[in-house]
Amino acid sequence: MTQADRDGASLDPENWDDLRAQGHRMLDDMFDNLATLTERPLWQAPTAEQRARYRAEAPRGPGALADVHNQFMTDVAPYGSGNRHPGFMGWVQGGGTGVGMLAEMLAAGLDANLGGRDHMPIEVERQIVAWMAELFGFPADASGLFLTGTSMANLCAVLIARDRALGADVRHTGVRDVRVVAYASKGVHSCIVRAMDMTGLGWDRLRLIETDADHRISLPALEAAIAADRAAGLTPFLVVGTAGSVDVGAIDDLNGLADIAGREGAAFHVDGALGALAMLSPTLAPRLAGIERADSLALDFHKLGQIPYDAGFLLVRDAAAHKRTFTYSEAAYLRHAERGLAGGEFWPCDYGPDLSRGFRALKVWFSLKTYGFDALGAVIRRTCDLAQTLAAKVEASPELELLAPVGLNIVCFAYKGADNAAIVADLHEAGRVAPSTTTVAGKTAIRAAIVNHRTGPNDIQALVDGVVALGRAQAAAREARGG
Ligand SMILES: *Cc1c(COP(=O)(O)O)cnc(C)c1O
């Protein structure tokens, strides 16, 4: 290998062999770490001493890579949030894969910036867009791009819908005298609420509609709210459907919402962060009927897709409308050229808020090609089957109660008469299984979101056993206190 102009200022090594050897060690360490996940606690709090080590002075001089790596292995790696562990059921988080990790390394090696210009990494991202358009029944010329997560993808979707309703001129004038209203169910993710203020529309312009017994948006209540707003001189501009609500995994009636949005001339957006990828499973796909009618769809590859963080995604039916919301052609330094490196027909920076963007598409491309759509679909199906297994165990136990119907992969339940939040905290500290809590119909629920591809029947049993043992211990302690 030739080294041009080596004057010692470059950060590259004089000799790559040492870096190569250390790199192989680091790779091996991480494979070992992944292969032995269950031999360590799912979660443990870092000690005060360890935390204190991370308030060190900024290093002015160099350190040995091997030492830095050792510090990572002792202080950081064992103290993660545990989402890779099969007992992790706390929040809706994927478990990652070795393939995703390797692809992420390659992406960093290439150091690609996918803001725009004419290079092959952008074609990889466009490949994912095309696959997603096909999977979700969107037109072949739909646009899309990677974002950090669905929070960002939802924000972009609300902006696109805003501009569709108010006209692109709103980008010049800013939002004033808002007469447009959005609708979503009470179970909608908080990021939709936050998107309303970040787009300048305001929370007052979002109607949170009642849900039915299955936690799906009530269509009659939605129609009544729209009628009331129309009577008050307001115009519906956006209907948000949720495909997999974060609390209980409910899927709204997407066809019903598409009908209403169409009739009202409003945009129809689907938050599919949690559930959209269930489309990969032929068994589950019918539950998402109507998703193909959305104007835009947000989803997370880092949840059921098992892609390492982060990999949010937005798909938009009308590419021209998508571009109108984000493009800005006045900056000379971002001029698109006819040819050369500054050419290229699709610049992602014209379709989202980011200019510099990493190569998230690569880990998704590697994973989809390595595992195949069908195997990922089977993983998703299994998470839903495990959720049904858990629900059946809860219903079979006189001490436990199911607090919400299980529509997808989330089970909300409780130990009757216990402090369920304390049970959950005790489970976290024990480090075998980690559910989370939520509130369902005014009650504190233990929420098990089965998302991780590593979770199996033993983990479900460990959760049930753990909850029952802690619930009984609480009851015994109350008894001993004479309560
Ligand atoms: C996780 C989630 C979000 C937020 O997605 P991020 O990737 O965490 O930004 C939004 N909506 C639903 C339904 C979710 O489950």
Side-chain angles (χ1 to χ4, degrees), residues 92 149-151 154 189 191 242 244-246 271 273-274 300 302-303:
V92 179
T150 289
S151 301
N154 280 340
H189 194 277
C191 63
T242 298
S245 66
V246 66
D271 176 353
L274 167 57
D300 276 333
H302 53 226
K303 291 179 176 170

Side-chain angles (χ1 to χ4, degrees), residues 22 76 111 125 130 139 177 197 210 225 269 311 342 383 430 483:
Q22 175 63 24
V76 182
D111 194 17
E125 181 156 354
D177 185 25
D197 70 70
E210 289 300 331
H269 172 68
T383 64

Side-chain angles (χ1 to χ4, degrees), residues 255-333:
N255 268 316
L257 291 178
D259 289 343
I260 292 172
R263 200 185 312 140
E264 298 294 332
F268 175 38
H269 172 68
V270 173
D271 176 353
L274 167 57
L277 287 176
M279 203 66 161
L280 292 168
S281 157
T283 317
L284 300 172
R287 298 202 209 158
L288 298 168
I291 203 167
E292 71 285 353
R293 297 169 66 191
D295 291 297
S296 51
L297 167 65
L299 63 91
D300 276 333
F301 285 102
H302 53 226
K303 291 179 176 170
L304 283 172
Q306 314 296 333
I307 303 296
Y309 281 87
D310 51 32
F313 190 79
L314 175 67
L315 189 63
V316 180
R317 174 175 303 277
D318 180 348
H322 186 181
K323 189 172 182 179
R324 260 197 309 281
T325 288
F326 291 102
T327 191
Y328 181 75
S329 55
E330 307 297 317
Y333 46 85

